């Protein structure tokens, strides 16, 4: 069993491929695809990304409850809650600076986007091989990707969800007539240019979705490849000197990508 748990890859590409391969579930055959060399299909679900995203969402809700309790019972916040309060004030200030006024819906969207993406990014700083060993013992599979934001399906679905919420908010804030007027007469305010305005609006809509999803996916995915190469090529005793700087770099990248996603969301909704 030990030989089945320890993966001896001769090439770094095999090691990277293994750790970036998703545990998929086929909706047609209704079974798990527990193989490295499978073909991607529209009917395959990345179960690992969905599971980790859902799990981190539950943690996010528990943190929110943890924040509300001292306020509800008029008790003093502890150090963790003070740090979270600083994060809330940081996001609130950016909402005021970019959106221009207080809005609880925009703040909730920004806070959720920032925190959820930050959690998904930071989970990549955990020991990847250790969790693969654990999943092998529990689920009898060594295929499991632990960073949802390195999955294009997750980043693309988040971008689509954000723009769906932005569209619903604009329908709530403005009338349907005003929304169509903005689409038909922007940027050129004349009847002749309506077809051109529609084409530009479609291109603008899909380019924003792609810019949000591909930027987050590209940075996190490339970071995972770099870290996996270091873990594979550098000897374990030499990795001790890389732990602190690499961890700090990963935390910085995770925070920066979450911040950029939130800022672009605020810009697009403004």
């Amino acid at each position: 069993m030990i030989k089945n748990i320890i993966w001896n890859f001769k090439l770094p590409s095999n090691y990277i491929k293994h750790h970036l391969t998703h545990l998929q579930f086929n909706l047609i055959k209704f079974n798990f695809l527990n193989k490295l060399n499978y073909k991607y299909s529209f009917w395959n679900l990345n179960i690992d990304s969905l599971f980790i995203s859902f799990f981190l969402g539950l943690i996010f809700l528990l943190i929110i409850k943890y924040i509300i309790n001292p306020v509800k019972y008029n008790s003093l916040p502890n150090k963790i809650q003070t740090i979270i309060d600083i994060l809330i004030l940081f996001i609130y200030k950016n909402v005021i600076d970019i959106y221009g006024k207080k809005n609880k819906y925009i703040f909730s969207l920004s806070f959720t986007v920032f925190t959820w993406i930050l959690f998904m990014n930071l989970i990549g700083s955990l020991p990847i091989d250790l969790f693969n060993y654990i999943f092998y013992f529990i689920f009898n599979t060594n295929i499991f990707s632990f960073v949802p934001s390195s999955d294009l399906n997750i980043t693309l679905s988040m971008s689509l969800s954000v723009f769906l919420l932005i569209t619903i908010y604009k329908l709530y804030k403005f009338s349907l007539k005003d929304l169509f007027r903005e689409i038909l007469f922007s940027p050129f305010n004349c009847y002749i240019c309506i077809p051109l305005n529609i084409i530009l609006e479609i291109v603008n809509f899909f380019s924003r979705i792609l810019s949000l999803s591909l930027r987050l996916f590209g940075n996190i995915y490339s970071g995972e490849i770099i870290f996996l190469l270091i873990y594979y090529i550098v000897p374990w005793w030499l990795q001790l000197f890389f732990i602190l700087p690499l961890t700090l770099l990963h935390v910085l990248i995770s925070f920066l990508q979450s911040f950029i996603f939130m800022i672009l969301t605020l810009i697009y909704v403004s």
Side-chain angles (χ1 to χ4, degrees), residues 183-184 186-188 190-203:
I183 296 174
L184 297 178
S186 177
F188 304 108
C190 62
Y191 288 95
I192 301 177
C193 297
I194 287 179
L196 179 60
N197 290 336
I198 294 176
I199 295 174
L200 291 176
E201 188 65 29
I202 293 174
V203 173

Side-chain angles (χ1 to χ4, degrees), residues 127 227 230-248:
F227 292 145
I230 293 175
Y231 295 149
Y232 185 86
I233 296 176
V234 180
W236 68 268
W237 52 269
L238 190 58
Q239 291 181 15
L240 298 175
F241 299 98
F242 290 92
I243 290 177
L244 183 58
L246 285 178
T247 302
L248 293 176

Side-chain angles (χ1 to χ4, degrees), residues 6 31 36 81 83 88 94 97 143 212 216 237:
I6 301 176
N31 63 342
L36 286 177
Q81 291 163 339
I83 294 175
I88 292 175
N94 282 278
D97 292 341
I143 299 176
L212 277 179
L216 178 60
W237 52 269

